[in-house]
Amino acid sequence: MQSSTARGYQDMDVGSGVVSPQAKEMEGYLEGAYHRDNHNSFSSDSPTQVEQQHITTVAHVGFSDALIAQKPSPWTKTMFKLYFFLFVAFLNSCINGYDGSLMGGLNAMSYYQQYFNMTPTGSKTGLVFAIYTIGNITGSFFCGPFTDWWGRRWGMFIGGAIIIAGTCVQAPATSREMFMGGRFILGFGVATCATAGPSYVAEMAHPAWRGTLTGLYNTFWFVGGIPATWTLYGTQNIHSDLSWRLPVWFQAVASGLVMCGCLFCPETPRWLVSNDRHEEAIRVLAKYHGEGNRNSPIVLLTYREMIEEIATEGSDKRWWDYTDLFNTKPAWWRMSCVIGMAFFSQWSGNGAVSYFMPVLLDSIGVRDQQTQLLYNAILNVLSFIMATAGARYVDRLGRRNVLLIGTSLFVLWWTIITTLTALYGDKSNQNLYGSRAAIAFIYIFGITYSFAYTPLQALYPVECLSYETRAKGMGVYNLFVNVAAFFNTYAIPTVWEKITWRFYFLYIAWDVFEVIYIYFFFVETKGRTLEEINEIFDAPYPKQKSIQKHIVVITDRGILDKGLEENMY
């Protein structure tokens, strides 16, 4: 009996168009694949000739079989090379984190305010913050084509170059208009980095650890944010314009490292396959996913799936064509997950934390600017630790489960915070224990958010998008993230001024809605290759398909598939 996997390997000879120049070598390549498949995979109706080891459940039999057959190790020399390439991509997140932490502190510096005749609040300050977001939104329409045309690594290079150009305009600025122009260019460049970076990590990471590695991408926001916070903490003691110019110049550091590092990074095999460069794709897969073995089970499986799922004439070759994002039911379901993640990651209450923290600190007598910066710096460090832990466990716990549990806890935390704020959040409050309890629960919310949402902000949308729509889809994701962040920046202070702590009731209601939406529409993507995730969205009800499990018997010869869990009873 010939398995479907073996037939898929044989089809490679017909569909790839790359094997004929090296026919003898590739015949052996395919024969080895066929032999391994027949040796390790067998149907549930065939007699079991070996001793059963144990029974478990898996999301996808083919991927699990390949992992068991290959037994990849994360500690080899080749894997550490791969980690270096992924680290270069992680630096794209540092760029965003650095600016995200920079402007809030910069806005409080007296030399910055005096030089540009600025105030901590007001329309002029709001415009300086808004122009970065406007640049990011504008860049969202160009970042997809950049990343599709020239590849993921050159997309990162282009983004880094634009950011350095923006820094060279912003740091030596002699007028507010020049400073704002630099910030617009920065925002434009960050949009490209935020598209190319996570796409590169997800497509290049070893499939056995894709969740952890891609989850780590967004945790590097803090690797950029923490130095920015401590740089501001240190340069405030410089009594000149250098106190604000120096932190701005440092924005170019991560971008420069990205540009230099990209020159050493290989292109992702999926981009190579989509551009009909199959032999290069196989070499990259064999080296970094198969430890140099072209007959590695994981290499054979992922390459076969790539040539079946990735079109060489897809919409990624047409820069103007965004229709594939919305023209079918599976596409709409994908975008419901992507856009949902964009809004949920910004509107779960994290935007209000940064606004309300100074009020609570002031209410317990912490009014010194330096001390408040110290509290913020400590929170950044704690958030980074929890985000890293979240990335480590996202493959064990699952994407959907983490989001459901985390968001449910948000409802609880905001209920407690709202109660404590109503009782002890006023400036006239004399109960220091009540205020400290409120601050403690804001910290608890912050670290819960970091564990549940920070790793998934880049990982989940990348996984939900198919290859042809990944770059443009991430551009759309970035667009909606900025729309949501724009609301956080400008609506929260305005509404807060009118209704104060009662605004938190909106977060409680919204987080309840998020829990319901995630439960019914978000899919589980763990335990599959990027191409195998397509099966989920092609199903009539993707959410239900994604949580189905195969019952398998793991034996000395491989995996025996006993069928879907729901069909066993």
Side-chain angles (χ1 to χ4, degrees), residues 307-488:
I307 63 175
E308 289 176 353
E309 298 289 339
I310 297 176
T312 57
E313 299 296 332
S315 62
D316 55 309
K317 309 300 186 300
R318 302 183 294 275
W319 65 268
W320 67 89
D321 189 359
Y322 281 73
T323 57
D324 280 358
L325 291 174
F326 303 99
N327 61 359
T328 63
K329 179 184 174 182
W332 272 104
W333 203 291
R334 290 178 191 271
M335 292 309 296
S336 71
C337 295
V338 171
I339 295 174
M341 191 65 191
F343 281 107
F344 297 169
S345 67
Q346 300 299 314
W347 285 0
S348 295
N350 45 309
V353 169
S354 59
Y355 177 75
F356 192 59
M357 181 66 81
V359 177
L360 277 179
L361 290 175
D362 189 68
S363 72
I364 63 170
V366 182
R367 299 181 177 89
D368 179 64
Q369 176 187 336
Q370 190 170 10
T371 306
Q372 289 190 358
L373 284 171
L374 180 61
Y375 270 83
N376 191 45
I378 292 171
L379 180 58
N380 270 340
V381 173
L382 290 174
S383 296
F384 173 63
I385 293 171
M386 292 304 296
T388 303
R392 177 64 185 87
Y393 284 98
V394 73
D395 271 335
R396 294 188 182 184
L397 302 176
R399 286 65 154 156
R400 188 170 174 273
N401 289 338
V402 168
L403 289 171
L404 273 174
I405 295 170
T407 310
S408 299
L409 287 174
F410 293 167
V411 177
L412 176 62
W413 301 152
W414 278 117
T415 302
I416 296 172
I417 291 168
T418 302
T419 304
L420 292 173
T421 303
L423 296 173
Y424 309 112
D426 192 85
K427 284 191 176 183
S428 61
N429 168 58
Q430 299 298 316
N431 188 328
L432 298 185
Y433 292 106
S435 294
R436 286 169 180 167
I439 291 174
F441 274 99
I442 286 183
Y443 267 69
I444 290 172
F445 169 84
I447 62 178
T448 303
Y449 179 90
S450 297
F451 183 93
Y453 271 80
T454 299
L456 292 173
Q457 282 179 271
L459 169 63
Y460 194 69
V462 163
E463 289 185 327
C464 287
L465 293 161
S466 64
Y467 174 80
E468 287 81 2
T469 61
R470 187 164 294 134
K472 290 173 184 172
M474 287 301 291
V476 172
Y477 171 77
N478 186 63
L479 170 66
F480 282 105
V481 164
N482 279 280
V483 169
F486 192 87
F487 173 87
N488 283 345

Side-chain angles (χ1 to χ4, degrees), residues 36 68 123 149 166 247 270 279 408 503 511 520 524 541-542 569:
R36 189 204 69 79
I68 291 171
S123 59
W149 288 345
R270 288 168 176 85
E279 182 59 32
S408 299
F503 181 75
D511 285 341
F520 285 104
E524 181 55 69
Y541 187 18
Y569 302 99

Side-chain angles (χ1 to χ4, degrees), residues 90 93 211-221 387-389 391-392 455:
F90 291 167
S93 189
T212 296
L213 293 171
T214 312
L216 283 173
Y217 173 89
N218 213 49
T219 68
F220 270 63
W221 192 97
T388 303
R392 177 64 185 87

